[in-house]
Amino acid sequence: MTRADVSPLVRAQGVTAPAGFRAAGIAAGIKASGKLDLALVFNEGPDHAAAGVFTRNQVKAAPVLWTCQVLADGRLRAVILNSGGANACTGPGGFQDTHATAEKVAAALSEWGTETGAIDVAVCSTGLIGDRLPMDKVLAGVVAVVQDMAGGITGGDEAARAIMTTDTVPKQVALHHPANWTVGGMAKGAGMLAPSLATMLCVLTTDAVAEPAGLDQALRRATARTFDRLDIDGSCSTNDTVLLLASGASEVEPSQDDLDDAVLRVCADLCAQLQADAEGVTKRITVSVTGAASEDDAVVAARVIARDSLVKTALFGSDPNWGRVLAAVGMAPVHLDPDRITVSFNGSAVCVNGVGAPGARDVDLSATDIEVLVDLGVGDSQAAIQTTDLSHAYVEENSAYSS
Amino acid sequence: MTRADVSPLVRAQGVTAPAGFRAAGIAAGIKASGKLDLALVFNEGPDHAAAGVFTRNQVKAAPVLWTCQVLADGRLRAVILNSGGANACTGPGGFQDTHATAEKVAAALSEWGTETGAIDVAVCSTGLIGDRLPMDKVLAGVVAVVQDMAGGITGGDEAARAIMTTDTVPKQVALHHPANWTVGGMAKGAGMLAPSLATMLCVLTTDAVAEPAGLDQALRRATARTFDRLDIDGSCSTNDTVLLLASGASEVEPSQDDLDDAVLRVCADLCAQLQADAEGVTKRITVSVTGAASEDDAVVAARVIARDSLVKTALFGSDPNWGRVLAAVGMAPVHLDPDRITVSFNGSAVCVNGVGAPGARDVDLSATDIEVLVDLGVGDSQAAIQTTDLSHAYVEENSAYSS
């Protein structure tokens, strides 16, 4: 166990827990509801190292294209995030909107006394795909949110709330390392949550001293094991972005291992918060595959099961219909032997070597947490995917989102 | 247009429409409900040529394994089919049950005066995965269903009803070719319907004179364009089987092209019947992809869209949320340029070259049939996938199937 493993995780804190960071969240009028919809995270330094990972969707929103570009130098001073509109599929005009937003943030920060260029400002957007943002409100909001942040009040909570869409609760957490450095983070995401990267917006901050390359390694390792293995509905957003900003304000330079561990734990905790608040969730499901020929096989098999509508509806109904797990895994493009597959639900064997076990139909799945364990019996590798059930509430929420 | 294209399709007829076929369907007590659950299709000859296609699921039910084996010689005399249990994941005992069923059918037919070996009897099962069949009822039922068929009453309707599970209506159709030969068929399937082959049970009959190789070609070409492109929920059964039996009783030997066309049209019609009766269906959706770099790309892209839970729930809500179509297709592993994608719903453009079209949010999708057309703009190939919406009724039906 490394030192980070014993560090406490504090969910009452987020991106402003590490030294050197300020944040704010305001209602800029982008959302018709009048709720908080514009967030700013600002790195006061002394360092401005940063790393990011982005959606693998070929259809990328304008803010994703922009932020990829400005991260090329491994430096970020600020992140501006809006809910109420994804600014995806908005063409060159949408990209100009993102650029104009970054310019406005830079100008407002410079006016406040922190010389900043648009190239140091990441932009993230979330909400409905396909509409242009109300730029008058966004630009006025940028001025207001910089003023709010400059007022000195720690606005981490408001920032975490301002990026919510169908989320019902804000998600944030901080890890305080015994060696006096901290990692904090906030995330949003409740639907269109799938794995081909981060599948939501997430900003992580740390006051550790770290180079962009070290941050990049820590972030890629963590997301590969956490957000990449969360799969609510198999749908991958056009806007997914995970950013990690380091201020160096603690003056502590942790080992790469310690940094990796701390970032992993913060991502894992945010991931669990995303799962618990997924659209329509009534069950938190972990699909674990063991005995696979390779870790890739284990991930693929677990993902196929986790995405199967018949498995997900059965678990919504607390129905131990293990045959659907067998039917699902049988379609996974992995090495398997049908006569060696063993399945258990919450520790009770329901299928042994491909054949139903006594009492399999009577396993009680009425509790909220369900573990589906599938042992393929053909190797030594394993992996797990986190998912949720397919409920009436999921259908309801997603059949009336844009209207 | 070939001659088959103008031949009428008659849905009041099925497997007994071609000369040389008898069928029967009875209630053997396999289903607790007492509904019809055992069907027999018998080929009186003079020919007994046959072909089949089976699930690509690596987890194959006992009757699939059996029927693959007995089809090796390209001959079938009879098909026995039961609902009320899939006989999948039942181990060696389940395979012995299938074998015993075929033996019993052969014995009963021989006793009736038609010398038959078990090797000429295909077996198909459908229902819940994982339970052994009540063999006392199955074997007694075999005797009864052979007697029923021997009585001489045309039992095609009863056979089509006896293979239903969550289907609400039987599915059958016959095509009468002007050259005096006929193709008939019956099918079942309402859920666990996806494409990696047939994904349901289907028996086709013809009185044409044809060799097994010609039947095999006609069947593979037809299923690749019909059942393989029907995708209700992305879940592929352990039991999918499509069989084509030829009696030669018409004494007409059609050209391969005419046979291909006729089998394709019968499969396409049964496919439409399956779509219309899919579990929880409120919308019949066709996802067409044009302008793809290859037909494979078009199929893959259309399938990714057709499987996307967010697209399916939006269409359930009659919501023209085209951004979800863009997000879905962006994850398809195909060649595409986000700035050249054009989407229309029921003929109304909602997205042109990757950007929303005026009035896109106002397109009326309240009717039952919805066509989603996605032009990738990067090539000349096209394909379509048939699917349905993701509704409350689908969730309801599948959260309480085995209990």
Side-chain angles (χ1 to χ4, degrees), chain B residues 26-53:
Chain B
I26 65 163
I30 307 168
K31 282 180 180 167
S33 65
K35 291 185 176 170
L36 299 181
D37 53 17
L38 191 66
L40 179 70
V41 178
F42 176 64
N43 180 353
E44 293 191 289
D47 300 340
H48 300 100
V53 289

Side-chain angles (χ1 to χ4, degrees), chain A residues 34-401:
Chain A
K35 291 185 177 171
L36 298 182
D37 53 18
L38 191 66
L40 180 70
V41 178
F42 177 64
N43 180 354
E44 294 191 289
D47 300 339
H48 300 99
V53 288
F54 301 93
T55 182
R56 291 195 192 98
N57 201 311
Q58 292 192 70
V59 176
K60 290 175 170 51
V64 169
L65 298 172
W66 168 266
T67 303
C68 277
Q69 286 181 20
V70 300
L71 251 182
D73 64 356
R75 263 178 63 91
L76 282 182
R77 189 112 205 186
V79 185
I80 185 92
L81 312 96
N82 75 275
S83 53
N87 196 9
C89 304
T90 46
F95 189 82
Q96 286 163 14
D97 291 344
T98 293
H99 186 176
T101 304
E103 290 282 4
K104 192 75 175 180
V105 171
L109 288 172
S110 298
E111 196 167 320
W112 176 51
T114 306
E115 197 60 43
T116 304
I119 196 177
D120 292 321
V121 179
V123 182
C124 300
S125 299
T126 183
L128 186 64
I129 296 171
D131 290 335
R132 296 281 292 274
L133 292 171
M135 286 306 291
D136 52 339
K137 291 174 179 165
V138 171
L139 297 179
V142 164
V143 173
V145 78
V146 169
Q147 285 172 345
D148 197 68
M149 180 207 73
I153 299 163
T154 300
D157 288 352
E158 288 73 17
R161 286 181 189 279
I163 59 175
M164 291 163 62
T165 53
T166 55
D167 307 71
T168 67
V169 292
K171 288 96 176 172
Q172 53 179 355
V173 73
L175 177 150
H176 296 275
H177 196 277
N180 288 321
W181 56 280
T182 297
V183 178
M186 66 178 187
K188 67 78 53 176
M192 204 175 267
L193 260 185
S196 192
L197 223 209
T199 17
M200 74 291 140
L201 301 185
C202 175
V203 177
L204 306 171
T205 55
T206 181
D207 49 18
V209 175
E211 292 297 312
L215 296 175
D216 188 70
Q217 173 182 316
L219 189 59
R220 287 182 190 283
R221 289 193 175 184
T223 55
R225 300 237 159 202
T226 55
F227 299 122
D228 276 5
R229 295 189 182 178
L230 175 70
D231 194 324
I232 300 306
D233 52 14
S235 301
C236 179
S237 155
T238 50
N239 288 57
D240 301 337
T241 302
V242 184
L243 300 173
L244 170 56
L245 284 66
S247 69
S250 71
E251 299 183 1
V252 179
E253 184 170 356
S255 70
Q256 184 70 41
D257 280 353
D258 280 357
L259 183 64
D260 288 354
D261 288 344
V263 173
L264 176 65
R265 288 193 66 211
V266 167
C267 287
D269 190 82
L270 289 171
C271 209
Q273 294 185 52
L274 293 173
Q275 180 191 28
D277 192 35
E279 285 175 354
V281 59
T282 80
K283 302 284 191 183
R284 295 184 295 258
I285 301 162
T286 301
V287 179
S288 300
V289 170
T290 60
S294 68
E295 187 175 348
D296 280 351
D297 268 14
V299 170
V300 168
R303 199 187 296 293
V304 165
I305 298 165
R307 283 187 177 183
D308 190 83
S309 293
L310 290 169
V311 171
K312 292 163 84 86
T313 47
L315 296 181
F316 167 58
S318 301
D319 177 0
N321 193 338
W322 59 269
R324 293 180 176 177
V325 175
L326 270 283
V329 79
M331 289 306 294
V334 302
H335 175 60
L336 59 81
D337 176 347
D339 297 329
R340 299 178 78 167
I341 301 173
T342 291
V343 179
S344 67
F345 289 154
N346 288 347
S348 297
V350 288
C351 169
V352 176
N353 292 327
V355 180
R361 304 275 180 225
D362 304 319
V363 173
D364 180 6
L365 299 181
S366 59
T368 303
D369 287 291
I370 297 178
E371 195 202 15
V372 178
L373 175 61
V374 179
D375 186 67
L376 298 181
V378 294
D380 298 320
S381 297
Q382 57 184 291
I385 295 284
Q386 309 296 320
T387 188
T388 54
D389 53 341
L390 175 53
S391 67
H392 285 301
Y394 179 89
V395 172
E396 187 63 26
E397 190 155 2
N398 285 299
S399 58
Y401 180 84

Side-chain angles (χ1 to χ4, degrees), chain B residues 56-69:
Chain B
R56 292 195 191 99
N57 201 309
Q58 293 192 70
V59 177
K60 290 175 171 51
V64 170
L65 297 172
W66 168 266
T67 303
C68 277
Q69 286 180 19

